[in-house]
Amino acid sequence: MTLIYFLILLSLIIVIHEAGHLCAAKLFGVYCYEFSFGMGPVLLQKAGKETKYSIRAIPVGGFVSMAGEEDGDELYDDVEVPDERRLTFKPWWQKIIIMLAGVFMNFVLAYLIFTFVYLSIGFIRVSPEPIVDSVMAGSAAEKAGFMAGDRVLKIVSEDGRSIEPESYLDMQTFNASDNGTKTYYVLRGEETIEISVTPEYNEEEGRYLIGITAPEQAAVEVNWKNCWYYGFYEMKEIVRLMGSVIIGLISGHGLNQLSGPVGIYQATETYASMGFASFLFLVAQISLNVGLFNLLPLPVLDGGQVVLTLCEAVTRRKLNEKIKTGVMAVCWVLLIGIMLFATWNDIARIFGL
């Protein structure tokens, strides 16, 4: 059953993403050869006015083939498409909208899931302010001088990264990136105090902790009037969390936390066992993850294509195809390497390596 949930999760997210590209392309008159659910051999196909809609044998993901894309033109060379219907001949701003439409749909999917799941549950727990509720006896925090009631204003890590947390969740996310010494600037009464602390390994928790606890999360009632706000609130919090994680990974921190398909499969099993609402939450989180990842400025991703399009718009000339092909090849190698590394992380966690 977990496999079915896993395939549904991946397919829904990728198909929604590709449907965004399809709708935007059709809006601007780009000829679309095919929109497919799944990959591999065609099982079922229905011809629309000009686009073929397919269901393929491998129920993972999907794609949209547009005129002007190299792969699309090579696979459908029997179709005559006028230049004005090709993506390559469209104005730069239309190209960018088409490229970002997939990411937009990933965010819309996540927003709608958060909104209606919280509406069905009837309440949401809001992350408390970055205030120390209590200090564990004998912990690194107690030794460093933390006290209950301290409000954290700023945290600075050894490598110079810093954060001014708006919530306790911000603190947790920032601290998860590495286990090095951090300097906390806390407000105690009317005085700002500087405290340096190094996390210590906690055998019971199985992880490094400094030893402070958060105030209890407040439960807020969700109804038809405010569900739209709290759907956005949850999406904003997770985007901030994911953004900080991505920045940390780029700077070389938190690489051991990177997860791939194996990790997603395990998460699917866990969330599905907790009920349908929990599974939907996972779908929303992965959808946001896919959207943010696609915004990275790598030429093989939507964000990279936007950068290339802007460069061509500014210079008013096409980029050298050999250079573009070379850069894309390097990016593919990089992405495959990241995927292999993430998969190794997943396997290492499973077997305790």
Side-chain angles (χ1 to χ4, degrees):
M1 192 65 182
T2 300
L3 179 60
I4 295 175
Y5 277 120
F6 179 69
L7 294 176
I8 291 173
L9 182 151
L10 293 183
S11 297
L12 176 62
I13 291 171
I14 297 175
V15 168
I16 285 291
H17 181 95
E18 296 299 329
H21 292 311
L22 176 72
C23 293
K26 285 186 171 291
L27 176 66
F28 294 121
V30 175
Y31 190 99
C32 298
Y33 299 110
E34 181 182 358
F35 178 78
S36 173
F37 172 80
M39 309 294 285
V42 175
L43 296 180
L44 182 65
Q45 191 171 76
K46 180 176 177 58
K49 186 176 180 181
E50 61 184 26
T51 304
K52 295 179 180 178
Y53 298 89
S54 309
I55 297 177
R56 293 178 177 260
I58 305 174
V60 177
F63 63 87
V64 54
S65 294
M66 291 179 276
E69 291 184 312
E70 185 176 340
D71 292 342
D73 290 337
E74 288 179 353
L75 295 174
Y76 307 91
D77 55 6
D78 59 326
V79 181
E80 292 291 334
V81 180
D83 286 344
E84 64 271 15
R85 300 286 315 271
R86 294 181 179 275
L87 181 64
T88 46
F89 287 85
K90 293 297 179 180
W92 64 269
W93 61 272
Q94 291 185 7
K95 293 179 185 177
I96 289 177
I97 291 176
I98 293 171
M99 292 166 188
L100 294 181
V103 172
F104 174 75
M105 289 302 294
N106 283 134
F107 278 72
V108 169
L109 174 63
Y111 173 69
L112 291 177
I113 289 176
F114 288 139
T115 298
F116 288 106
V117 167
Y118 277 126
L119 180 63
S120 67
I121 295 174
F123 69 93
I124 181 175
R125 294 195 178 277
V126 180
S127 180
E129 296 181 348
I131 298 173
V132 177
D133 185 63
S134 64
V135 181
M136 297 170 60
S139 66
E142 184 182 57
K143 298 171 188 175
F146 274 98
M147 295 180 63
D150 287 345
R151 174 182 286 273
V152 178
L153 302 177
K154 186 176 182 179
I155 310 173
V156 181
S157 63
E158 290 179 301
D159 62 3
R161 294 180 304 116
S162 65
I163 185 175
E164 295 181 8
E166 296 181 11
S167 67
Y168 205 89
L169 179 62
D170 291 342
M171 290 172 50
Q172 292 175 313
T173 304
F174 185 79
N175 290 335
S177 62
D178 70 84
N179 299 317
T181 300
K182 295 183 177 66
T183 301
Y184 287 72
Y185 295 87
V186 303
L187 182 65
R188 184 177 297 169
E190 297 181 357
E191 183 182 4
T192 299
I193 300 173
E194 182 179 326
I195 303 175
S196 292
V197 60
T198 304
E200 296 177 351
Y201 190 76
N202 184 291
E203 294 288 347
E204 293 183 6
E205 295 281 341
R207 57 196 176 102
Y208 285 88
L209 300 172
I210 65 171
I212 60 176
T213 62
E216 186 177 350
Q217 290 182 320
V220 180
E221 180 184 355
V222 177
N223 51 46
W224 278 106
K225 293 181 180 179
N226 62 15
C227 65
W228 315 104
Y229 167 78
Y230 283 112
F232 179 77
Y233 169 84
E234 182 70 15
M235 186 171 73
K236 180 192 69 173
E237 289 297 304
I238 293 179
V239 166
R240 287 175 57 199
L241 187 154
M242 290 179 176
S244 63
V245 170
I246 290 174
I247 292 172
L249 290 173
I250 292 173
S251 62
H253 297 279
L255 291 174
N256 61 327
Q257 300 175 12
L258 192 64
S259 190
V262 176
I264 296 174
Y265 184 87
Q266 287 185 304
T268 301
E269 184 176 26
T270 301
Y271 277 73
S273 67
M274 295 166 62
F276 187 62
S278 295
F279 172 71
L280 285 178
F281 258 80
L282 179 63
V283 173
Q285 291 172 12
I286 300 297
S287 185
L288 283 178
N289 211 320
V290 169
L292 285 175
F293 184 74
N294 268 281
L295 287 177
L296 293 177
L298 299 176
V300 294
L301 301 175
D302 295 331
Q305 289 297 311
V306 169
V307 172
L308 293 179
T309 301
L310 287 173
C311 288
E312 291 180 343
V314 171
T315 60
R316 296 187 178 181
R317 57 186 298 182
K318 294 286 184 181
L319 296 176
N320 186 288
E321 285 299 325
K322 289 185 178 180
I323 295 177
K324 186 189 295 187
T325 302
V327 171
M328 293 186 72
V330 171
C331 288
W332 273 118
V333 172
L334 176 63
L335 287 179
I336 292 172
I338 292 173
M339 184 63 68
L340 291 174
F341 180 78
T343 302
W344 167 252
N345 275 348
D346 293 334
I347 295 172
R349 278 190 287 267
I350 292 173
F351 293 100
L353 300 177

